[in-house]
mmCIF file of all heavy atoms in Angstrom:
data_model
loop_
_atom_site.group_PDB
_atom_site.id
_atom_site.type_symbol
_atom_site.label_atom_id
_atom_site.label_comp_id
_atom_site.label_asym_id
_atom_site.label_seq_id
_atom_site.Cartn_x
_atom_site.Cartn_y
_atom_site.Cartn_z
ATOM 1 N N LEU U 289 189.715 286.323 133.522
ATOM 2 C CA LEU U 289 188.276 286.388 133.789
ATOM 3 C C LEU U 289 187.563 285.124 133.311
ATOM 4 O O LEU U 289 186.712 284.568 134.022
ATOM 5 C CB LEU U 289 187.668 287.610 133.091
ATOM 6 C CG LEU U 289 187.972 288.979 133.696
ATOM 7 C CD1 LEU U 289 187.430 290.086 132.794
ATOM 8 C CD2 LEU U 289 187.381 289.097 135.089
ATOM 9 N N ILE U 290 187.887 284.675 132.100
ATOM 10 C CA ILE U 290 187.225 283.485 131.553
ATOM 11 C C ILE U 290 187.639 282.241 132.334
ATOM 12 O O ILE U 290 186.808 281.386 132.660
ATOM 13 C CB ILE U 290 187.551 283.325 130.054
ATOM 14 C CG1 ILE U 290 187.062 284.552 129.273
ATOM 15 C CG2 ILE U 290 186.882 282.064 129.490
ATOM 16 C CD1 ILE U 290 187.530 284.591 127.816
ATOM 17 N N ALA U 291 188.929 282.136 132.658
ATOM 18 C CA ALA U 291 189.430 280.969 133.392
ATOM 19 C C ALA U 291 188.832 280.884 134.795
ATOM 20 O O ALA U 291 188.655 279.782 135.341
ATOM 21 C CB ALA U 291 190.956 281.033 133.481
ATOM 22 N N ALA U 292 188.494 282.026 135.381
ATOM 23 C CA ALA U 292 187.957 282.045 136.749
ATOM 24 C C ALA U 292 186.531 281.520 136.825
ATOM 25 O O ALA U 292 186.074 281.112 137.903
ATOM 26 C CB ALA U 292 188.025 283.466 137.310
ATOM 27 N N ASP U 293 185.806 281.536 135.713
ATOM 28 C CA ASP U 293 184.420 281.052 135.687
ATOM 29 C C ASP U 293 184.436 279.554 135.412
ATOM 30 O O ASP U 293 184.599 279.115 134.273
ATOM 31 C CB ASP U 293 183.617 281.788 134.619
ATOM 32 C CG ASP U 293 182.120 281.502 134.709
ATOM 33 O OD1 ASP U 293 181.747 280.426 135.234
ATOM 34 O OD2 ASP U 293 181.327 282.339 134.245
ATOM 35 N N LYS U 294 184.240 278.754 136.447
ATOM 36 C CA LYS U 294 184.338 277.303 136.321
ATOM 37 C C LYS U 294 183.134 276.681 135.604
ATOM 38 O O LYS U 294 183.141 275.488 135.299
ATOM 39 C CB LYS U 294 184.493 276.663 137.712
ATOM 40 C CG LYS U 294 185.754 277.125 138.450
ATOM 41 C CD LYS U 294 187.010 276.955 137.588
ATOM 42 C CE LYS U 294 188.260 277.481 138.293
ATOM 43 N NZ LYS U 294 189.461 277.418 137.416
ATOM 44 N N SER U 295 182.106 277.491 135.333
ATOM 45 C CA SER U 295 180.973 276.978 134.562
ATOM 46 C C SER U 295 181.315 276.889 133.069
ATOM 47 O O SER U 295 180.617 276.227 132.304
ATOM 48 C CB SER U 295 179.744 277.884 134.741
ATOM 49 O OG SER U 295 179.931 279.145 134.090
ATOM 50 N N LEU U 296 182.403 277.556 132.677
ATOM 51 C CA LEU U 296 182.835 277.538 131.289
ATOM 52 C C LEU U 296 183.923 276.487 131.082
ATOM 53 O O LEU U 296 184.809 276.330 131.919
ATOM 54 C CB LEU U 296 183.376 278.918 130.881
ATOM 55 C CG LEU U 296 182.370 280.066 130.850
ATOM 56 C CD1 LEU U 296 183.095 281.393 130.622
ATOM 57 C CD2 LEU U 296 181.310 279.849 129.778
ATOM 58 N N ASN U 297 183.863 275.812 129.957
ATOM 59 C CA ASN U 297 184.878 274.827 129.587
ATOM 60 C C ASN U 297 185.970 275.538 128.796
ATOM 61 O O ASN U 297 186.070 275.427 127.577
ATOM 62 C CB ASN U 297 184.234 273.712 128.760
ATOM 63 C CG ASN U 297 185.215 272.609 128.395
ATOM 64 O OD1 ASN U 297 186.303 272.519 128.962
ATOM 65 N ND2 ASN U 297 184.838 271.780 127.440
ATOM 66 N N PHE U 298 186.796 276.295 129.534
ATOM 67 C CA PHE U 298 187.818 277.133 128.906
ATOM 68 C C PHE U 298 189.071 276.306 128.615
ATOM 69 O O PHE U 298 189.652 275.697 129.519
ATOM 70 C CB PHE U 298 188.156 278.303 129.838
ATOM 71 C CG PHE U 298 189.126 279.296 129.267
ATOM 72 C CD1 PHE U 298 188.971 279.806 127.984
ATOM 73 C CD2 PHE U 298 190.214 279.739 130.023
ATOM 74 C CE1 PHE U 298 189.860 280.727 127.461
ATOM 75 C CE2 PHE U 298 191.108 280.674 129.519
ATOM 76 C CZ PHE U 298 190.931 281.156 128.227
ATOM 77 N N VAL U 299 189.485 276.318 127.345
ATOM 78 C CA VAL U 299 190.666 275.532 126.943
ATOM 79 C C VAL U 299 191.902 276.411 126.764
ATOM 80 O O VAL U 299 192.954 275.931 126.340
ATOM 81 C CB VAL U 299 190.385 274.741 125.644
ATOM 82 C CG1 VAL U 299 189.283 273.716 125.865
ATOM 83 C CG2 VAL U 299 190.028 275.679 124.481
ATOM 84 N N GLY U 300 191.779 277.704 127.071
ATOM 85 C CA GLY U 300 192.927 278.596 127.002
ATOM 86 C C GLY U 300 193.055 279.345 125.688
ATOM 87 O O GLY U 300 192.090 279.465 124.919
ATOM 88 N N ASN U 301 194.241 279.830 125.415
ATOM 89 C CA ASN U 301 194.505 280.600 124.198
ATOM 90 C C ASN U 301 194.565 279.686 122.970
ATOM 91 O O ASN U 301 195.042 278.547 123.050
ATOM 92 C CB ASN U 301 195.843 281.339 124.320
ATOM 93 C CG ASN U 301 195.780 282.479 125.320
ATOM 94 O OD1 ASN U 301 194.761 283.147 125.445
ATOM 95 N ND2 ASN U 301 196.875 282.705 126.036
ATOM 96 N N VAL U 302 194.089 280.202 121.841
ATOM 97 C CA VAL U 302 194.225 279.502 120.562
ATOM 98 C C VAL U 302 194.816 280.493 119.559
ATOM 99 O O VAL U 302 194.608 281.700 119.664
ATOM 100 C CB VAL U 302 192.878 278.952 120.043
ATOM 101 C CG1 VAL U 302 192.316 277.931 121.005
ATOM 102 C CG2 VAL U 302 191.870 280.078 119.821
ATOM 103 N N GLU U 303 195.555 279.957 118.598
ATOM 104 C CA GLU U 303 196.183 280.803 117.588
ATOM 105 C C GLU U 303 195.392 280.763 116.282
ATOM 106 O O GLU U 303 194.764 279.751 115.956
ATOM 107 C CB GLU U 303 197.618 280.353 117.342
ATOM 108 C CG GLU U 303 198.527 280.553 118.537
ATOM 109 C CD GLU U 303 199.962 280.147 118.238
ATOM 110 O OE1 GLU U 303 200.236 278.937 118.178
ATOM 111 O OE2 GLU U 303 200.802 281.053 118.067
ATOM 112 N N ALA U 304 195.486 281.846 115.520
ATOM 113 C CA ALA U 304 194.755 281.946 114.256
ATOM 114 C C ALA U 304 195.166 280.852 113.275
ATOM 115 O O ALA U 304 194.340 280.342 112.509
ATOM 116 C CB ALA U 304 194.979 283.321 113.626
ATOM 117 N N SER U 305 196.433 280.457 113.310
ATOM 118 C CA SER U 305 196.939 279.439 112.391
ATOM 119 C C SER U 305 196.333 278.065 112.643
ATOM 120 O O SER U 305 196.400 277.175 111.803
ATOM 121 C CB SER U 305 198.462 279.342 112.494
ATOM 122 O OG SER U 305 198.846 278.992 113.826
ATOM 123 N N ASN U 306 195.696 277.893 113.816
ATOM 124 C CA ASN U 306 195.166 276.583 114.203
ATOM 125 C C ASN U 306 193.641 276.531 114.215
ATOM 126 O O ASN U 306 193.057 275.504 114.576
ATOM 127 C CB ASN U 306 195.703 276.215 115.593
ATOM 128 C CG ASN U 306 195.516 274.761 115.924
ATOM 129 O OD1 ASN U 306 195.669 273.894 115.065
ATOM 130 N ND2 ASN U 306 195.165 274.470 117.169
ATOM 131 N N LEU U 307 192.968 277.618 113.817
ATOM 132 C CA LEU U 307 191.510 277.687 113.940
ATOM 133 C C LEU U 307 190.797 276.578 113.181
ATOM 134 O O LEU U 307 189.835 275.978 113.674
ATOM 135 C CB LEU U 307 191.001 279.057 113.459
ATOM 136 C CG LEU U 307 191.326 280.257 114.352
ATOM 137 C CD1 LEU U 307 190.764 281.539 113.748
ATOM 138 C CD2 LEU U 307 190.762 280.051 115.750
ATOM 139 N N PHE U 308 191.237 276.290 111.956
ATOM 140 C CA PHE U 308 190.574 275.267 111.146
ATOM 141 C C PHE U 308 190.737 273.862 111.710
ATOM 142 O O PHE U 308 190.019 272.945 111.326
ATOM 143 C CB PHE U 308 191.110 275.286 109.715
ATOM 144 C CG PHE U 308 190.546 276.393 108.872
ATOM 145 C CD1 PHE U 308 191.270 276.894 107.794
ATOM 146 C CD2 PHE U 308 189.303 276.940 109.141
ATOM 147 C CE1 PHE U 308 190.760 277.915 107.004
ATOM 148 C CE2 PHE U 308 188.777 277.957 108.365
ATOM 149 C CZ PHE U 308 189.506 278.447 107.294
ATOM 150 N N ASN U 309 191.688 273.684 112.620
ATOM 151 C CA ASN U 309 191.916 272.368 113.216
ATOM 152 C C ASN U 309 190.989 272.088 114.390
ATOM 153 O O ASN U 309 191.093 271.043 115.038
ATOM 154 C CB ASN U 309 193.376 272.229 113.656
ATOM 155 C CG ASN U 309 194.323 272.195 112.469
ATOM 156 O OD1 ASN U 309 194.000 271.632 111.429
ATOM 157 N ND2 ASN U 309 195.485 272.818 112.620
ATOM 158 N N GLY U 310 190.108 273.034 114.670
ATOM 159 C CA GLY U 310 189.098 272.811 115.695
ATOM 160 C C GLY U 310 189.576 272.785 117.125
ATOM 161 O O GLY U 310 189.175 271.909 117.901
ATOM 162 N N PRO U 311 190.416 273.739 117.556
ATOM 163 C CA PRO U 311 190.881 273.732 118.951
ATOM 164 C C PRO U 311 189.793 274.118 119.950
ATOM 165 O O PRO U 311 189.916 273.856 121.141
ATOM 166 C CB PRO U 311 192.005 274.772 118.947
ATOM 167 C CG PRO U 311 191.607 275.734 117.866
ATOM 168 C CD PRO U 311 190.984 274.871 116.791
ATOM 169 N N ALA U 312 188.720 274.772 119.464
ATOM 170 C CA ALA U 312 187.634 275.206 120.351
ATOM 171 C C ALA U 312 186.323 275.243 119.576
ATOM 172 O O ALA U 312 186.302 275.370 118.356
ATOM 173 C CB ALA U 312 187.949 276.579 120.941
ATOM 174 N N ASP U 313 185.225 275.121 120.312
ATOM 175 C CA ASP U 313 183.895 275.225 119.703
ATOM 176 C C ASP U 313 183.461 276.681 119.574
ATOM 177 O O ASP U 313 182.696 277.042 118.680
ATOM 178 C CB ASP U 313 182.871 274.462 120.552
ATOM 179 C CG ASP U 313 183.220 272.998 120.683
ATOM 180 O OD1 ASP U 313 183.273 272.314 119.646
ATOM 181 O OD2 ASP U 313 183.463 272.546 121.818
ATOM 182 N N VAL U 314 183.950 277.518 120.477
ATOM 183 C CA VAL U 314 183.676 278.960 120.458
ATOM 184 C C VAL U 314 184.998 279.690 120.637
ATOM 185 O O VAL U 314 185.712 279.436 121.607
ATOM 186 C CB VAL U 314 182.695 279.377 121.573
ATOM 187 C CG1 VAL U 314 182.475 280.892 121.548
ATOM 188 C CG2 VAL U 314 181.371 278.643 121.449
ATOM 189 N N VAL U 315 185.332 280.563 119.714
ATOM 190 C CA VAL U 315 186.559 281.349 119.795
ATOM 191 C C VAL U 315 186.186 282.791 120.104
ATOM 192 O O VAL U 315 185.424 283.425 119.360
ATOM 193 C CB VAL U 315 187.363 281.278 118.480
ATOM 194 C CG1 VAL U 315 188.581 282.194 118.554
ATOM 195 C CG2 VAL U 315 187.789 279.840 118.196
ATOM 196 N N VAL U 316 186.710 283.300 121.199
ATOM 197 C CA VAL U 316 186.410 284.668 121.656
ATOM 198 C C VAL U 316 187.529 285.603 121.226
ATOM 199 O O VAL U 316 188.714 285.278 121.353
ATOM 200 C CB VAL U 316 186.257 284.684 123.191
ATOM 201 C CG1 VAL U 316 186.090 286.113 123.699
ATOM 202 C CG2 VAL U 316 185.083 283.821 123.621
ATOM 203 N N THR U 317 187.140 286.786 120.730
ATOM 204 C CA THR U 317 188.128 287.770 120.303
ATOM 205 C C THR U 317 187.516 289.163 120.315
ATOM 206 O O THR U 317 186.288 289.311 120.368
ATOM 207 C CB THR U 317 188.662 287.436 118.893
ATOM 208 O OG1 THR U 317 189.640 288.411 118.509
ATOM 209 C CG2 THR U 317 187.544 287.445 117.866
ATOM 210 N N ASP U 318 188.362 290.172 120.257
ATOM 211 C CA ASP U 318 187.858 291.545 120.134
ATOM 212 C C ASP U 318 187.412 291.779 118.702
ATOM 213 O O ASP U 318 187.836 291.081 117.771
ATOM 214 C CB ASP U 318 188.934 292.551 120.541
ATOM 215 C CG ASP U 318 190.161 292.469 119.645
ATOM 216 O OD1 ASP U 318 191.001 291.570 119.878
ATOM 217 O OD2 ASP U 318 190.277 293.279 118.718
ATOM 218 N N GLY U 319 186.539 292.781 118.496
ATOM 219 C CA GLY U 319 185.934 293.006 117.191
ATOM 220 C C GLY U 319 186.908 293.325 116.076
ATOM 221 O O GLY U 319 186.730 292.879 114.936
ATOM 222 N N PHE U 320 187.950 294.096 116.382
ATOM 223 C CA PHE U 320 188.927 294.463 115.354
ATOM 224 C C PHE U 320 189.691 293.234 114.871
ATOM 225 O O PHE U 320 189.787 292.962 113.675
ATOM 226 C CB PHE U 320 189.896 295.513 115.896
ATOM 227 C CG PHE U 320 190.914 295.977 114.890
ATOM 228 C CD1 PHE U 320 190.626 297.032 114.026
ATOM 229 C CD2 PHE U 320 192.145 295.358 114.792
ATOM 230 C CE1 PHE U 320 191.551 297.454 113.084
ATOM 231 C CE2 PHE U 320 193.083 295.773 113.848
ATOM 232 C CZ PHE U 320 192.784 296.821 112.992
ATOM 233 N N THR U 321 190.229 292.467 115.824
ATOM 234 C CA THR U 321 190.986 291.268 115.474
ATOM 235 C C THR U 321 190.097 290.233 114.800
ATOM 236 O O THR U 321 190.491 289.592 113.825
ATOM 237 C CB THR U 321 191.625 290.654 116.736
ATOM 238 O OG1 THR U 321 192.427 291.642 117.382
ATOM 239 C CG2 THR U 321 192.477 289.455 116.391
ATOM 240 N N GLY U 322 188.879 290.082 115.323
ATOM 241 C CA GLY U 322 187.947 289.108 114.758
ATOM 242 C C GLY U 322 187.576 289.409 113.329
ATOM 243 O O GLY U 322 187.514 288.513 112.481
ATOM 244 N N ASN U 323 187.352 290.688 113.033
ATOM 245 C CA ASN U 323 186.994 291.080 111.673
ATOM 246 C C ASN U 323 188.142 290.846 110.710
ATOM 247 O O ASN U 323 187.956 290.324 109.598
ATOM 248 C CB ASN U 323 186.566 292.551 111.645
ATOM 249 C CG ASN U 323 186.014 292.968 110.292
ATOM 250 O OD1 ASN U 323 186.722 293.521 109.466
ATOM 251 N ND2 ASN U 323 184.753 292.669 110.070
ATOM 252 N N ALA U 324 189.349 291.203 111.143
ATOM 253 C CA ALA U 324 190.523 290.995 110.301
ATOM 254 C C ALA U 324 190.767 289.505 110.058
ATOM 255 O O ALA U 324 191.088 289.080 108.938
ATOM 256 C CB ALA U 324 191.747 291.629 110.953
ATOM 257 N N THR U 325 190.588 288.696 111.090
ATOM 258 C CA THR U 325 190.776 287.247 110.971
ATOM 259 C C THR U 325 189.741 286.636 110.039
ATOM 260 O O THR U 325 190.068 285.796 109.192
ATOM 261 C CB THR U 325 190.685 286.574 112.358
ATOM 262 O OG1 THR U 325 191.667 287.151 113.223
ATOM 263 C CG2 THR U 325 190.907 285.084 112.263
ATOM 264 N N LEU U 326 188.478 287.056 110.201
ATOM 265 C CA LEU U 326 187.401 286.529 109.352
ATOM 266 C C LEU U 326 187.658 286.826 107.881
ATOM 267 O O LEU U 326 187.516 285.944 107.017
ATOM 268 C CB LEU U 326 186.062 287.140 109.778
ATOM 269 C CG LEU U 326 184.840 286.727 108.950
ATOM 270 C CD1 LEU U 326 184.567 285.235 109.087
ATOM 271 C CD2 LEU U 326 183.612 287.529 109.381
ATOM 272 N N LYS U 327 188.073 288.061 107.575
ATOM 273 C CA LYS U 327 188.343 288.431 106.181
ATOM 274 C C LYS U 327 189.547 287.684 105.630
ATOM 275 O O LYS U 327 189.567 287.317 104.447
ATOM 276 C CB LYS U 327 188.532 289.948 106.077
ATOM 277 C CG LYS U 327 187.217 290.712 106.255
ATOM 278 C CD LYS U 327 187.414 292.212 106.227
ATOM 279 C CE LYS U 327 186.065 292.928 106.367
ATOM 280 N NZ LYS U 327 186.206 294.390 106.455
ATOM 281 N N ALA U 328 190.529 287.446 106.474
ATOM 282 C CA ALA U 328 191.694 286.670 106.042
ATOM 283 C C ALA U 328 191.298 285.233 105.722
ATOM 284 O O ALA U 328 191.751 284.652 104.730
ATOM 285 C CB ALA U 328 192.772 286.694 107.122
#
């Protein structure tokens, strides 16, 4: 769905281990995973 919207600059999947390295300006996730990742 995200890749199909050409108005978005979608860079694909990113892994939690790489978040601090700045792979994306906005990281999209579901609420459960996002909350667990944030607390970690």
Side-chain angles (χ1 to χ4, degrees):
L289 287 173
I290 300 171
D293 190 335
K294 299 308 177 185
S295 70
L296 294 172
N297 183 14
F298 184 48
V299 296
N301 290 325
V302 298
E303 294 182 285
S305 60
N306 195 39
L307 289 180
F308 282 154
N309 292 324
D313 301 299
V314 178
V315 176
V316 174
T317 181
D318 62 279
F320 182 87
T321 304
N323 187 264
T325 302
L326 178 64
K327 288 177 178 175

